[in-house]
Amino acid sequence: RIICIILIGGCLLQLFSLREQMISRVGIGFGGDAAANWRLVRKIPDDAGVVATFRFLPALSLREHLYSFHKIISRPVPGERLMRERYFDVPSNSRSLAREWYALIDHEDGWIRSQSREDAAYIKGKIAGFLLGWEEVGSEGSVKLYKWKGRGR
């Protein structure tokens, strides 16, 4: 019995000491201010469609209409148009599938930063074009929550 108690105590102590690494690896922590980011995620209705940057995809993964922001703003690669038409419903073509649409975008996302270093004008233009018709409804640092208002595009 004592050995079991010592083992369980040791496991709990180890779990407690590594909690930050574990939280970020399973997509719960988001890095930075996790509580603030969760507040933004919780503002999105369960039945809404969502476009999100990478760090939010795990937390939103059970939604029926979830799209990775990088697929919308990246340059197409050969054969990708056919793949997108076959396997992905890009929100601009399928807004009627969900009652409401939200975009949860970390403007300091690593992928966005790396693409901006390679082709700043293109990425900046794609992001600006995407945001036409969206209204900011929440913000936590570099993370912005937008709601589709239906104009533009």
Side-chain angles (χ1 to χ4, degrees):
R1 243 181 201 195
I2 291 185
I3 293 176
C4 287
I5 292 171
I6 291 172
L7 283 174
I8 290 172
C11 288
L12 290 174
L13 181 63
Q14 186 70 18
L15 180 66
F16 181 77
S17 68
L18 296 173
R19 71 188 178 282
E20 290 302 319
Q21 292 93 335
M22 292 176 62
I23 286 172
S24 66
R25 287 192 182 169
V26 296
I28 297 170
F30 302 127
D33 189 354
N37 289 324
W38 272 116
R39 281 193 294 275
L40 290 176
V41 169
R42 288 188 192 111
K43 285 183 176 185
I44 304 170
D46 292 337
D47 61 343
V50 183
V51 174
T53 48
F54 285 124
R55 74 191 300 187
F56 297 105
L57 294 178
L60 299 165
S61 64
L62 295 178
R63 292 173 180 268
E64 184 176 359
H65 302 291
L66 175 63
Y67 303 92
S68 178
F69 185 61
H70 90 281
K71 293 301 281 181
I72 294 170
I73 67 166
S74 63
R75 283 193 187 275
V77 296
E80 186 175 8
R81 181 172 179 221
L82 178 62
M83 181 191 72
R84 284 186 188 192
E85 289 172 358
R86 245 186 226 166
Y87 302 111
F88 298 101
D89 291 316
V90 178
S92 62
N93 298 330
S94 61
R95 283 209 175 83
S96 61
L97 296 177
R99 184 174 54 85
E100 294 179 290
W101 283 93
Y102 287 80
L104 186 56
I105 300 170
D106 179 359
H107 290 272
E108 292 297 319
D109 177 78
W111 184 86
I112 293 173
R113 282 196 324 262
S114 72
Q115 295 301 303
S116 293
R117 282 191 296 270
E118 293 175 25
D119 196 351
Y122 177 81
I123 293 298
K124 185 177 180 179
K126 287 293 280 191
I127 292 171
F130 173 82
L131 291 176
L132 292 175
W134 296 85
E135 175 186 18
E136 186 178 314
V137 293
S139 175
E140 295 290 345
S142 67
V143 179
K144 309 290 184 203
L145 178 63
Y146 301 95
K147 183 175 181 182
W148 176 249
K149 291 299 181 183
R151 59 174 181 48
R153 292 170 79 83

